[in-house]
Amino acid sequence: SIISGFKKSIPVILGYIPIGISYGILALQTDLSPYLIVGMSVFVFAGSSQLIAVNMLTAQAAVIPIVMTTFLVNLRHILMSASLSLHFKKSPQKLLPVLGFLITDESFALGNTLLKEEKENKGLFFLSLGVSAYLGWVLSSWAGVIIGRYLLNFKIPVIDFVLPAMFIILLILQINEKMDI
């Protein structure tokens, strides 16, 4: 169950890598330290909210609008949690907050499909799926900070490079996925 969850998370991790790296590079354009940039990935684990926060910080928005915007963007997680909770009736209550933290759009979509197939230990399956994806996101954010610092040392215009590169990678992943079908 745990190994199965890890194996099933690999496509999610591969999708997180270019976005996490892009987030790390873009976040360096703010006044956040590398520790805070990676810390946001550790404690928030919501790529869309993190990218929104970084863009708002770059635009010098105040803290309250940033918090409210990221809160509104992540309201959908309440519905996703409610939907997935039906699979975790036999899971220990102490595990539920951790499982809730690990819900992302990708883990929800994958978990919603795969949890129907899992017969036992659904909580452990989703935990391993979520933790694997989480580690993929945090490590790719960290890699983005390292790559971004390297690019900044050479005065490469990071914004001009990162966004087009991210979209090209996402396009290639989409094309490969369509070709596999």
Side-chain angles (χ1 to χ4, degrees):
S1 186
I2 292 173
I3 292 172
S4 176
F6 170 74
K7 286 180 181 177
K8 300 289 184 178
S9 73
I10 292 172
V12 173
I13 294 168
L14 292 175
Y16 282 173
I17 290 172
I19 300 168
I21 290 172
S22 298
Y23 158 73
I25 293 170
L26 292 173
L28 285 172
Q29 304 300 303
T30 67
D31 289 333
L32 294 176
S33 75
Y35 298 110
L36 288 175
I37 294 167
V38 176
M40 192 185 300
S41 289
V42 170
F43 294 108
V44 176
F45 187 40
S48 57
S49 292
Q50 289 175 242
L51 286 165
I52 289 169
V54 163
N55 285 326
M56 291 179 78
L57 285 168
T58 302
Q60 299 178 339
V63 172
I64 298 296
I66 294 171
V67 170
M68 293 303 299
T69 302
T70 57
F71 173 75
L72 290 172
V73 166
N74 285 319
L75 274 176
R76 68 190 188 283
H77 287 117
I78 294 172
L79 297 173
M80 289 189 271
S81 297
S83 175
L84 285 179
S85 70
L86 302 173
H87 295 285
F88 303 130
K89 291 178 183 174
K90 295 180 182 176
S91 298
Q93 293 291 311
K94 293 177 185 177
L95 188 60
L96 296 180
V98 176
L99 296 176
F101 175 74
L102 296 172
I103 294 174
T104 62
D105 295 334
E106 297 81 7
S107 66
F108 170 76
L110 196 57
N112 206 27
T113 303
L114 297 175
L115 286 170
K116 294 172 186 169
E117 299 169 7
E118 281 291 312
K119 300 298 178 211
E120 296 179 23
N121 298 320
K122 291 182 178 197
L124 286 178
F125 171 81
F126 192 81
L127 180 68
S128 65
L129 175 98
V131 167
S132 301
Y134 171 76
L135 292 174
W137 175 255
V138 172
L139 292 174
S140 63
S141 299
W142 180 57
V145 168
I146 292 169
I147 292 167
R149 290 179 82 181
Y150 179 77
L151 294 174
L152 290 174
N153 285 339
F154 289 101
K155 307 289 188 239
I156 296 173
V158 175
I159 293 293
D160 296 340
F161 164 75
V162 172
L163 290 177
M166 180 178 81
F167 286 115
I168 289 169
I169 290 169
L170 291 173
L171 177 64
I172 290 169
L173 290 172
Q174 287 291 330
I175 290 170
N176 283 339
E177 186 178 300
K178 297 293 182 198
M179 291 174 67
D180 290 340
I181 293 178

